[in-house]
Amino acid sequence: MSQRNTGVTSQVVNAHACPVREVLDRVAGKWSVQILVAAAHGPIRFTDLERGIEGISRRMLTLTLRNLERDGLVTRTVHPTVPPKVEYALTPVARELHTSLQQLTDWAERNRLYVAEARAAYDIEHDPELTDA
């Protein structure tokens, strides 16, 4: 049977073979995590995301939102107003992911001082010149 006659595209075949690493790379990315956490409380506008996520450029926010939408984690709704009002919201799958992200974020908050102290101790032990200044 010819693949041309199956109605299955190479994109569908590749999606089934998509390594877990690709999914983790997307959802664990620096900006993706922050966007997903910010959008967890309901629909949020682009400008609110831009203001609320420190250090993200407009271009990076646009690219990350586009990728999250493509991956089925975020929906984009354009309201017919002048100027157009665009809102982003989490899909049910992303809401499920948010639970895990919130646990990870809580862990990071609880342990940030421990990590900072461990880094300082490591630096003193492995590069004494850093502490001689």
Side-chain angles (χ1 to χ4, degrees):
M1 179 184 225
S2 167
Q3 277 199 335
R4 283 180 284 173
N5 296 329
T6 64
V8 176
T9 66
S10 62
Q11 287 180 327
V12 171
V13 171
N14 289 337
H16 290 297
C18 177
V20 170
R21 183 188 74 239
E22 286 183 35
V23 175
L24 290 174
D25 286 347
R26 173 80 74 227
V27 300
K30 174 182 180 179
W31 302 122
S32 295
V33 168
Q34 292 184 57
I35 290 169
L36 293 170
V37 168
H41 303 294
I44 190 166
R45 296 184 68 178
F46 183 92
T47 53
D48 294 329
L49 285 167
E50 190 175 30
R51 281 188 222 117
I53 300 174
E54 187 176 332
I56 193 167
S57 68
R58 182 172 282 247
R59 173 151 174 73
M60 185 53 66
L61 179 56
T62 299
L63 290 173
T64 306
L65 284 167
R66 190 173 297 145
N67 285 327
L68 290 171
E69 184 180 9
R70 180 175 180 241
D71 290 345
L73 299 174
V74 169
T75 59
R76 178 178 185 267
T77 304
V78 180
H79 298 280
T81 60
V82 177
K85 177 181 173 184
V86 180
E87 292 181 321
Y88 295 89
L90 299 186
T91 64
V93 169
R95 279 196 276 290
E96 178 186 348
L97 171 62
H98 177 261
T99 302
S100 299
L101 291 177
Q102 190 61 56
Q103 290 173 339
L104 180 61
T105 303
D106 292 346
W107 178 90
E109 183 62 34
R110 283 192 315 273
N111 292 287
R112 65 187 172 86
L113 292 176
Y114 169 82
V115 171
E117 290 168 358
R119 286 178 182 173
Y122 179 93
D123 291 346
I124 289 168
E125 183 178 333
H126 290 88
D127 197 353
E129 291 180 19
L130 291 175
T131 59
D132 291 342

